[in-house]
Amino acid sequence: MDLQSLKKQENKRKISKGYMWAFFCAIFWGIWYLPGTVVWVLNPFDEMYSAIAAIRGDEISLVITAVLITAFNALTVMLALMLWNGVLGKFGELKRTLKEFQPCSKWFFMASIFGGPMAILGSFIAMGFIGGAFAAVAALLYPVIGSVLAYYWYGEKISKRAALGIGVIILGGITIFGGGLLKDLSGGSVPWIGYLGGLMAAAGWGIEGAVAGKGLDISEPDAGLTLRFVGENIIWWLLIVPLLAVVGYPMYSFALEAFEPMTLMILIFAGITFGFCYVCWYKSFPLIGVGRGQGIGNLYGLFSIIFIFLFFGEAPQWTLLLGGALCVIGSFVMFTEDTSELETLRGD
Amino acid sequence: MGLRPIKFRILELFLDEKAHWNYEIVSKIQNEYDMQGNFKRDSINFDILELASGGMLKDVEQKVDEEGIYKQGFLLHRYMITDFGKTRSSDACLRYV
């Protein structure tokens, strides 16, 4: 084979690999909404919600319970990722990356601020207040923020075609989001805090992707994303949970009750799916860019609707289906992009 | 000071502003970090690939690996650091050599 065609073939392989990682991210991410929804009805979280709601009201109770659930989610994700690094033999690299706090690790800790207390907490709030399918699709808007930030911040190119695909995906997101909102408005009561959670998820994940890209430039994704979750665990377990306990919420007593088989199993399931969705997500960025990685990863919205329908039998509204279809179309607009354009993702 | 993250070291090796073949860099890193075996070799090469697709290295020359220096029948790449790569390296406190 001559040099030119071998080059083309290699480039194609690289890009399809990037899209494959992003696609797996979408599947794992979509599955994550199953344990994320189920965990709300399991003890101690169910009891915790009722106990706090009796004193402080539903809304505060839901947020506080969501904090504890998110903290446990971060813990199991971190453990799953540590295992992953162990399998790959990357503990050495993990330590080396952690030591480079100034140039490198700080970006992952910043990413964990937007990913954790903003995006993941927001998702759990949306799941608890409105439902898994809504939580999933509400976050579909995150590539707008991610792509725009990546474009202005480090000049990542967005081709016309990619922009079109992202646009269609967003349209799908708006259809799903707007459909639920219109129904709630006509019903007279709108669970605003749930919608706020959805917006937190979208903004948080978009910013996280762009911020993490800064650190990913110069580190290995496997080490990088583990540090991002180490950061999130520090935020939850050393800052927010103790703070809430000091203010008087029974955080520790309920946290200790989480160690029962069913609850643990669901939390571990959440940790594994979420951990590997991140592994795939971060691996796709250097190969196809933050904007595209996020765009294809967006198929999770559709997968989550399918999984929720299969496992819980909750039939989605027509707006969810239409929006989901738009997301698939948008992703394929990006997917069929001519690969020669992607040879260099950034200008020199 | 001990070893730095692998991508830092790769960038550092390119800071002489000369073009280097991927197999030269990979075997150098393999020795420095004591990373033997095909899996680890490929993972180092993937790091170079990531740096290139991130715009920090540019691919200046390719040749077919006829003799199996790295992987027979595959492409060998020769890279140079870009201005963006130099900026990111100086962010990472790497010194120009």
Side-chain angles (χ1 to χ4, degrees):
Chain A
M1 207 182 279
D2 65 282
L3 193 64
Q4 212 52 37
S5 57
L6 209 56
K7 241 165 104 175
K8 229 180 190 155
Q9 187 194 34
E10 194 193 72
N11 194 44
K12 222 170 164 178
R13 199 181 299 137
K14 198 166 79 182
I15 285 154
S16 64
K17 219 177 188 175
Y19 277 118
M20 186 197 74
W21 284 116
F23 191 73
F24 278 125
C25 158
I27 293 177
F28 280 122
W29 194 344
I31 294 178
W32 176 69
Y33 287 92
L34 296 177
T37 306
V38 168
V39 77
W40 280 96
V41 297
L42 291 177
N43 278 327
F45 305 112
D46 188 36
E47 273 174 22
M48 180 179 180
Y49 176 65
S50 324
I52 300 175
I55 312 165
R56 313 270 174 133
D58 283 350
E59 292 189 358
I60 288 179
S61 174
L62 190 127
V63 174
I64 303 290
T65 309
V67 165
L68 194 61
I69 292 175
T70 315
F72 270 107
N73 181 71
L75 192 64
T76 52
V77 172
M78 187 180 73
L79 293 176
L81 291 178
M82 289 286 183
L83 197 71
W84 170 251
N85 272 275
V87 171
L88 294 181
K90 285 196 173 170
F91 278 127
E93 182 67 11
L94 192 62
K95 227 168 84 190
R96 288 192 285 272
T97 311
L98 181 62
K99 273 199 227 152
E100 301 291 339
F101 186 81
Q102 183 53 30
C104 203
S105 305
K106 73 171 174 198
W107 294 111
F108 294 116
F109 283 100
M110 271 179 69
S112 68
I113 294 171
F114 291 106
M118 200 163 168
I120 305 181
L121 180 68
S123 293
F124 276 116
I125 289 174
M127 275 184 256
F129 236 82
I130 303 181
F134 169 75
V137 297
L140 280 172
L141 294 170
Y142 78 89
V144 197
I145 294 154
S147 300
V148 169
L149 274 180
Y151 177 76
Y152 281 109
W153 197 0
Y154 37 87
E156 186 163 298
K157 283 183 203 158
I158 303 172
S159 67
K160 271 189 191 145
R161 185 144 187 161
L164 182 73
I166 289 171
V168 175
I169 292 172
I170 293 165
L171 217 61
I174 292 171
T175 310
I176 305 167
F177 206 103
L181 195 60
L182 283 178
K183 194 171 153 237
D184 283 337
L185 280 173
S186 65
S189 75
V190 179
W192 287 112
I193 196 162
Y195 286 103
L196 179 71
L199 285 178
M200 279 164 68
W205 269 317
I207 299 169
E208 173 183 11
V211 170
K214 276 273 210 199
L216 269 180
D217 275 355
I218 47 171
S219 69
E220 286 207 340
D222 297 307
L225 72 104
T226 307
L227 290 182
R228 174 243 175 278
F229 275 96
V230 169
E232 190 178 330
N233 273 283
I234 292 172
I235 292 170
W236 291 122
W237 294 106
L238 296 181
L239 289 174
I240 298 180
V241 171
L243 203 72
L244 288 174
V246 167
V247 181
Y249 290 101
M251 305 304 279
Y252 291 118
S253 56
F254 282 111
L256 286 173
E257 282 175 36
F259 294 92
E260 55 174 278
M262 188 62 184
T263 307
L264 267 190
M265 206 180 76
I266 293 294
L267 284 171
I268 289 168
F269 185 41
I272 290 171
T273 52
F274 208 69
F276 285 105
C277 119
Y278 263 85
V279 166
C280 300
W281 208 34
Y282 276 58
K283 281 229 188 275
S284 79
F285 291 163
L287 290 172
I288 53 174
V290 173
R292 284 181 209 92
Q294 292 186 343
I296 297 298
N298 246 9
L299 282 172
Y300 84 86
L302 186 74
F303 290 134
S304 69
I305 292 175
I306 295 170
F307 292 136
I308 286 169
F309 178 68
L310 288 179
F311 283 85
F312 303 144
E314 282 173 25
Q317 296 175 53
W318 69 269
T319 46
L320 283 183
L321 290 175
L322 177 68
L326 283 172
C327 292
V328 179
I329 293 166
S331 298
F332 277 93
V333 168
M334 295 172 72
F335 190 73
T336 51
E337 185 167 15
D338 180 12
T339 50
S340 61
E341 269 179 45
L342 294 177
E343 212 154 343
T344 50
L345 293 170
R346 286 172 202 158
D348 285 344
Chain B
M1 198 159 101
L3 293 168
R4 303 193 74 185
I6 289 168
K7 282 191 181 176
F8 284 39
R9 182 62 188 143
I10 293 172
L11 284 173
E12 204 169 42
L13 291 172
F14 277 101
L15 279 177
D16 59 5
E17 304 201 41
K18 289 189 188 117
H20 297 278
W21 287 99
N22 63 332
Y23 58 87
E24 298 169 346
I25 299 290
V26 168
S27 67
K28 199 159 183 157
I29 300 279
Q30 275 189 298
N31 288 334
E32 285 181 13
Y33 288 75
D34 192 22
M35 293 170 75
Q36 303 311 321
N38 287 355
F39 177 76
K40 289 189 173 165
R41 179 198 66 187
D42 288 350
S43 126
I44 298 166
N45 194 51
F46 193 73
D47 286 337
I48 298 176
L49 211 88
E50 284 179 349
L51 288 171
S53 57
M56 278 162 283
L57 300 177
K58 68 176 174 228
D59 198 346
V60 288
E61 193 184 341
Q62 303 83 30
K63 65 180 180 194
V64 183
D65 188 355
E66 312 271 11
E67 305 126 59
I69 310 171
Y70 185 74
K71 263 187 195 175
Q72 203 159 16
F74 282 78
L75 276 184
L76 297 168
H77 293 267
R78 201 173 188 196
Y79 297 98
M80 260 184 95
I81 198 159
T82 62
D83 287 338
F84 180 66
K86 285 181 214 160
T87 314
R88 298 300 282 128
S89 304
S90 66
D91 291 348
C93 316
L94 297 173
R95 279 176 298 112
Y96 285 85
V97 183

